[in-house]
Amino acid sequence: MSTPSKEKEVKKAPAKQEEVASVKGMRDLIGKEYYDFQGFMEKAAEISHYYGFKPIETPVLENTEIFTGSVGEGTDIVDKEMYAFKTRGGDQVALRPEGTAPIMRAYLENGMVSWPQPVMLYYSGTFYRHERPQRGRHREFRQFGLEVIGSEKSIGDAMVIKTFITVLAEAGVKDVVVDINSIGDKECRGAYRRALLAYYKKRLPQVCADCKNRFKTNPLRMLDCKAEQCQPIKKAAPDTISYLCPACKQHFKEVLEYLETLGIEYRINNALVRGLDYYSRTVFEFITREEVIEEGKEPTTLETVIGGGGRYDYLAKALGSKKDVPGVGGALGVDRILLLKDLVELAPRIIKKPKIFFIQLGFEAKLHSMAIIEILRKARIPIAQSLSKDGLGVQLATAERSKIPYTIILGQKEVIEKSVIVRNMDTRSQETVPVEKLAEYVKKLK
Ligand code: HAM
């Protein structure tokens, strides 16, 4: 085989711009956007800790059946949106489209059933759904989630909602309302299902093709339909609350009582069934409302679903547990939240405003620069630098542009004398400080 000629190699490069694009619907987080996500996740984790939640991280890949058996065949997430594939070893795996089924899997697999109940967990990470990308809808997106597993008490539902509301308030999300509904349990679902089928049977010719299908496979999903033609039919459909058994009615009443006592604004939404099959009893969504003003038009209110959740008392059995394990939880769509206006800037803990700009002059100084930075790091003094730059002028200019109050200047003379110059950028006064006293000296600076 002949080696390619130099000429041919040259022709191949450089790669075209589109050849180095990320996968459609997935993006890089860089700079401020990265810090915004990190800051939000840290704040959410901190608040959740106060409410008693502990962290968990599960793998991004799960066996596909974790989702098909729980989120449910017949749901958009499983049927149309899941990134599922066969590995080289022949395993059927899927990129997680959501976090609840994997966490219940982890609960069962790790014997959390023998821990004090309920087990309260929080998590954050990336999730994957093959949806049509648009503003606030990505194929790789980020959630912050909470799960309370091992108790069917209504206070669990309230605790999840309250913790999320607190996170949203701390992030500066304004005008949030909780849409809430109860879809009942095994007891009441049968009667409701029959009523729904009877109602839709008469109207089948008018509904969309998807609903005709759902009528046979998963009738509750008809209430989740977004097609224009199905909306009036959906609106007049029987509501789940009228069919609740006494135990479910009581549970729902208690959840609403908690919300009222906590001063959380809610709307009972009879059409809310959610797009995942594992729910029972309480289901909820967090909706933000923003006024949209377009020239020459009446102002309209834009509603965005920034999170959702509910109770999943039968999920454990669907995953293979011998016993039912009740649970309740939810997740916030962080990509959507960070698009909202007037948020509070939540800086991540690692970001500290630098007090010092470190300047080095000459190779000798460069050689010693990292030892000085290490002294400052150990003393927890945040600094900025541009170690790859050489001249004094360019480094001073950077320090001035960044509005950092002090600079440390290390030149050849200072290296020999084991000292540095500390310069006040405001008054331009400067002082020579021995390296061994540097940390102490800088700490005292305002
Ligand atoms: P979900 O409603 O499917 O619930 O997702 C929660 C939130 O994630 C949504 O309200 C939305 O804000 C955001 N989200 C969903 N899909 C996308 C997307 N393609 N791009 C951007 N954001 C998106 C669940 O995932 C359940 N596991 C929640 C739960 C936890 N239920 C009980 N425990």
Side-chain angles (χ1 to χ4, degrees):
M1 210 171 91
S2 66
T3 51
S5 71
K6 260 243 149 74
E7 206 179 317
K8 271 184 189 159
E9 277 175 39
V10 172
K11 268 188 190 160
K12 260 173 89 181
K16 277 195 223 130
Q17 201 62 42
E18 61 262 34
E19 284 173 5
V20 288
S22 63
V23 172
K24 189 175 174 192
M26 306 197 183
R27 71 205 195 281
D28 307 306
L29 295 186
I30 303 165
K32 181 170 171 358
E33 198 182 10
Y34 182 97
Y35 291 137
D36 285 347
F37 272 93
Q38 195 182 18
F40 183 92
M41 297 303 192
E42 270 184 18
K43 180 51 90 184
E46 184 192 321
I47 292 168
S48 305
H49 253 284
Y50 274 106
Y51 279 90
F53 292 87
K54 296 286 181 312
I56 184 167
E57 189 172 310
T58 62
V60 168
L61 274 187
E62 291 280 349
N63 291 312
T64 307
E65 66 199 26
I66 295 290
F67 303 109
T68 46
S70 61
V71 174
E73 282 173 294
T75 61
D76 281 356
I77 293 178
V78 163
D79 286 3
K80 300 183 189 161
E81 297 165 3
M82 200 154 64
Y83 286 87
F85 57 95
K86 200 171 173 179
T87 65
R88 282 162 197 265
D91 298 329
Q92 291 290 346
V93 296
L95 280 171
R96 57 182 183 191
E98 64 95 47
T100 312
I103 287 178
M104 184 57 97
R105 192 264 310 133
Y107 174 98
L108 298 169
E109 186 174 338
N110 294 288
M112 292 188 213
V113 70
S114 60
W115 296 10
Q117 305 293 304
V119 176
M120 295 170 62
L121 300 166
Y122 75 82
Y123 57 98
S124 61
T126 49
F127 295 86
Y128 301 84
R129 294 182 194 174
H130 197 273
E131 295 192 78
R132 200 146 55 87
Q134 49 184 280
R135 191 180 144 84
R137 176 161 295 151
H138 309 276
R139 291 182 174 174
E140 179 185 68
F141 58 99
R142 288 154 186 83
Q143 287 186 347
F144 178 84
L146 298 171
E147 312 293 347
V148 175
I149 307 180
S151 165
E152 58 172 19
K153 298 252 169 69
S154 53
I155 195 163
D157 311 42
M159 205 149 50
V160 166
I161 294 173
K162 171 63 183 165
T163 308
F164 280 135
I165 286 286
T166 310
V167 170
L168 293 172
E170 290 270 321
V173 181
K174 291 182 195 76
D175 213 357
V176 189
V177 63
V178 183
D179 265 21
I180 195 162
N181 193 19
S182 175
I183 55 171
D185 63 5
K186 274 190 215 144
E187 291 295 314
C188 30
R189 197 136 344 132
Y192 176 69
R193 209 182 124 99
R194 282 192 294 280
L196 192 68
L197 284 172
Y199 171 82
Y200 267 92
K201 198 171 177 184
K202 288 188 212 138
R203 293 158 181 87
L204 266 189
Q206 287 110 281
V207 299
C208 71
D210 271 348
C211 276
K212 286 194 177 87
N213 237 337
R214 290 174 187 135
F215 181 83
K216 287 183 227 140
T217 56
N218 201 338
L220 222 63
R221 289 273 76 77
M222 294 187 292
L223 297 171
D224 209 30
C225 183
K226 307 280 182 293
E228 199 61 49
Q229 73 197 88
C230 298
Q231 296 314 303
I233 300 168
K234 212 177 94 170
K235 219 169 171 185
D239 60 86
T240 50
I241 293 176
S242 314
Y243 289 82
L244 293 182
C245 64
C248 286
K249 219 178 251 170
Q250 177 62 22
H251 192 275
F252 192 48
K253 198 173 143 254
E254 285 172 17
V255 175
L256 298 183
E257 236 174 279
Y258 278 116
L259 298 190
E260 272 156 36
T261 308
L262 291 163
I264 295 172
E265 190 190 344
Y266 69 84
R267 304 184 296 206
I268 294 176
N269 178 351
N270 297 134
L272 185 64
V273 287
R274 312 250 311 125
L276 306 93
D277 269 358
Y278 52 59
Y279 290 116
S280 54
R281 292 192 165 171
T282 321
V283 285
F284 58 84
E285 277 180 348
F286 298 104
I287 320 270
T288 52
R289 294 167 294 194
E290 284 185 311
E291 198 169 293
V292 184
I293 305 165
E294 277 181 73
E295 237 188 80
K297 285 188 188 164
E298 285 283 302
T300 51
T301 308
L302 177 72
E303 297 206 339
T304 311
V305 182
I306 54 164
R311 187 157 270 291
Y312 42 85
D313 295 344
Y314 310 122
L315 171 61
K317 263 200 182 159
L319 292 177
S321 163
K322 287 202 180 73
K323 275 176 41 189
D324 270 326
V325 181
V328 61
L332 297 177
V334 184
D335 305 76
R336 284 191 196 168
I337 292 170
L338 293 179
L339 285 175
L340 299 172
K341 281 184 269 166
D342 306 325
L343 292 180
V344 170
E345 186 127 7
L346 297 171
R349 260 185 284 274
I350 57 159
I351 299 298
K352 295 187 178 76
K353 220 172 157 224
K355 189 176 180 182
I356 301 283
F357 193 92
F358 179 80
I359 293 176
Q360 36 67 43
L361 302 166
F363 187 65
E364 277 302 309
K366 267 201 179 27
L367 279 177
H368 287 82
S369 57
M370 274 181 264
I372 305 280
I373 291 174
E374 181 58 10
I375 290 170
L376 296 168
R377 184 198 68 79
K378 277 194 177 144
R380 297 180 179 277
I381 297 160
I383 69 143
Q385 44 77 12
S386 47
L387 291 183
S388 317
K389 294 277 175 342
D390 298 320
L392 177 65
V394 59
Q395 295 183 70
L396 271 178
T398 314
E400 229 149 79
R401 251 201 323 274
S402 342
K403 298 199 170 59
I404 299 174
Y406 296 93
T407 51
I408 285 179
I409 304 167
L410 180 69
Q412 211 159 348
K413 178 164 166 274
E414 286 74 33
V415 171
I416 295 164
E417 289 173 358
K418 295 196 170 46
S419 66
V420 296
I421 295 167
V422 180
R423 179 183 167 101
N424 182 323
M425 294 296 281
D426 222 16
T427 62
R428 292 171 196 258
S429 63
Q430 47 186 55
E431 204 169 323
T432 301
V433 181
V435 168
E436 78 221 41
K437 300 241 170 78
L438 180 62
E440 200 186 317
Y441 180 88
V442 172
K443 271 190 184 165
K444 284 193 192 131
L445 295 174
K446 284 258 166 66

